[in-house]
Structure formats: C-alpha cells, structure tokens
C-alpha cells in the first residue's frame, strides 16, 4: 500500500507567457507527481535579488506517494522539460519556471539535495502570502507556528499584487466520473 503525503510547492516564473508557464507546470505536476488539491491565487512580485521582469508566483497543495528524494528529482525534470536552463553563475536569475518544495508533511529534511521546510520561505512574502491563502492553519515544523502567523512575522516589504487571472486545477479521475463499473472475467 502506498502512503499519501501532503506537500506544498511554490511555483514562480518571470519569462515568456507566465500564465501558460504556471499552468503547464501544474499539469505536469498533476500528471507525474500527484493530485493537485489546491491552487492559490496568482501574485505578481518584483524580481528578488536581481534586475529582471516581475514574477508571477503561486503555491499549490499536492497529494503524492513520492518520497522527498524522488519528488525533488521529478520537479527538477519538470522544470527541465518546460525549458528551464540552469546557469553556473552565482545569484538569482530570470527563469521560465521555478518549483520549490516548501513543506512535506510535517517533516524536517536536511540532505545534500534538499532542505525542507524551504530555508528561505519565512523571509519571502511572495511565498508566504500564497501559502497562507491555501494553508493558513498548517504548522511550520521548525517554528511550531501556523503559516498565517509566520506571514504576520515576515519582515519582507516587497510589493505584492494580486492578479485576477486564475489557473485551472486538473480534474482528478475520481471527480470526472460519478460511477464505478466492475467487470468480472
């Protein structure tokens, strides 16, 4: 029996068709990682730590059977398949898609390839605002505080603008059909 895990992901884009980039990432995550349970509103934010186009940022709640090490590999593959080019240059850069694992159940993970909860999430309103929208009462496993309280305590003064466009949550098969057919052979 596979165990379902709840993970919260942050998605951001500041290149090309930003809405399409986010929707394509959502669709691939739903197809390859697990069912999308919730999608936040879209928030426009200035680039962080470098000069570049504004970002569109969202957070999503995903139910997955993947373990964290497999999950990060799946997400990096999705980024790659959507055309993300990583550079060896230091610092932040423009990108057509960025997917970060913020939370994975209530686990604290420190490994060579992954740190969960995300080490910088509490410093960034562009992460905390959409996360609080879909997970206000979720407890941050290190702070032992609700995400809504973490947002209140955030010192980030960046300008965050709500975008009126909405992204589409892929419909799970369990919601597509309201009947079950059993065939006895």
């Amino acid at each position: 029996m596979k165990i379902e895990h709840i993970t919260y992901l942050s998605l951001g884009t500041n290149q090309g068709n930003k809405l399409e980039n986010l929707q394509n990432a959502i669709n691939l995550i739903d197809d390859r990682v697990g069912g999308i349970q919730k999608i936040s509103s879209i928030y426009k934010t200035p680039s962080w730590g470098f000069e570049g186009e504004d970002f569109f940022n969202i957070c999503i709640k995903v139910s997955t059977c993947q373990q964290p090490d497999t999950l990060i590999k799946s997400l990096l593959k999705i980024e790659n398949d959507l055309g993300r080019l990583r550079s060896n240059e230091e610092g932040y850069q423009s990108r057509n898609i960025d997917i970060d694992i913020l939370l994975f159940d209530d686990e604290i993970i420190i490994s060579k390839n992954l740190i969960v909860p995300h080490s910088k999430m509490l410093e960034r309103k562009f992460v905390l605002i959409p996360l609080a929208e879909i997970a206000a009462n979720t407890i941050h496993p290190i702070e032992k505080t609700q995400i809504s309280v973490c947002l209140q305590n955030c010192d980030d003064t960046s300008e965050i603008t709500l975008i009126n466009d909405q992204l589409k949550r892929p419909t799970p098969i369990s919601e597509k059909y309201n009947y079950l057919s059993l065939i006895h052979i």
Side-chain angles (χ1 to χ4, degrees), residues 3 15 21 24 30 32 39 42 51 59 67 72 78 81 98 100 121 135 140 144 151 166 174-176 179 183:
I3 297 173
Q15 291 181 320
N21 293 345
N24 288 340
D30 185 72
R32 299 181 188 176
I39 301 173
I42 306 165
E51 291 296 319
C59 286
Q67 292 298 315
I72 190 65
I78 289 169
D81 289 350
D98 183 43
D100 290 323
M121 68 182 276
H140 187 284
K144 305 291 187 211
L151 174 57
Q166 289 190 329
S174 61
E175 293 177 18
K176 285 182 184 176
Y179 62 88
I183 300 172

Side-chain angles (χ1 to χ4, degrees), residues 117-150:
H118 191 283
S119 62
K120 303 223 187 297
M121 68 182 276
L122 298 177
E123 303 166 13
R124 299 172 171 172
K125 280 192 340 190
F126 70 82
V127 170
L128 288 174
I129 288 174
L131 182 60
E133 180 184 324
I134 63 171
N137 296 324
T138 298
I139 303 295
H140 187 284
I142 294 174
E143 295 295 315
K144 305 291 187 211
T145 306
Q146 293 177 329
I147 295 300
S148 59
V149 175
C150 293

Side-chain angles (χ1 to χ4, degrees), residues 13 15-17 20 24 31 35 45 65 72 75 99 107 114-115 120 134 137 141 153 159 162 164-166:
T13 176
Q15 291 181 320
N17 184 329
E20 186 176 295
N24 288 340
D31 186 48
T45 60
C65 293
I72 190 65
L75 297 175
I99 307 169
E107 292 185 31
L114 184 62
I115 297 176
K120 303 223 187 297
I134 63 171
N137 296 324
N153 295 333
E159 185 178 325
L162 179 66
N164 287 331
D165 294 303
Q166 289 190 329

Side-chain angles (χ1 to χ4, degrees), residues 38-97:
K38 291 183 181 179
I39 301 173
S40 75
S41 299
I42 306 165
Y43 295 89
K44 182 174 83 169
T45 60
S47 57
W48 177 279
F50 71 101
E51 291 296 319
E53 294 285 322
D54 289 341
F55 273 82
F56 280 12
N57 293 286
I58 64 168
C59 286
I60 60 175
K61 178 181 179 181
V62 180
S63 176
T64 184
C65 293
Q66 294 184 4
Q67 292 298 315
D69 56 335
T70 305
L71 176 60
I72 190 65
K73 289 175 187 168
S74 296
L75 297 175
L76 290 172
K77 174 90 169 84
I78 289 169
E79 285 182 349
N80 187 58
D81 289 350
L82 291 175
R84 171 137 186 211
L85 301 174
R86 293 187 180 269
S87 165
N88 291 332
E89 292 180 32
E90 288 292 315
Y92 297 109
Q93 301 165 10
S94 291
R95 60 208 74 152
N96 65 326
I97 195 67

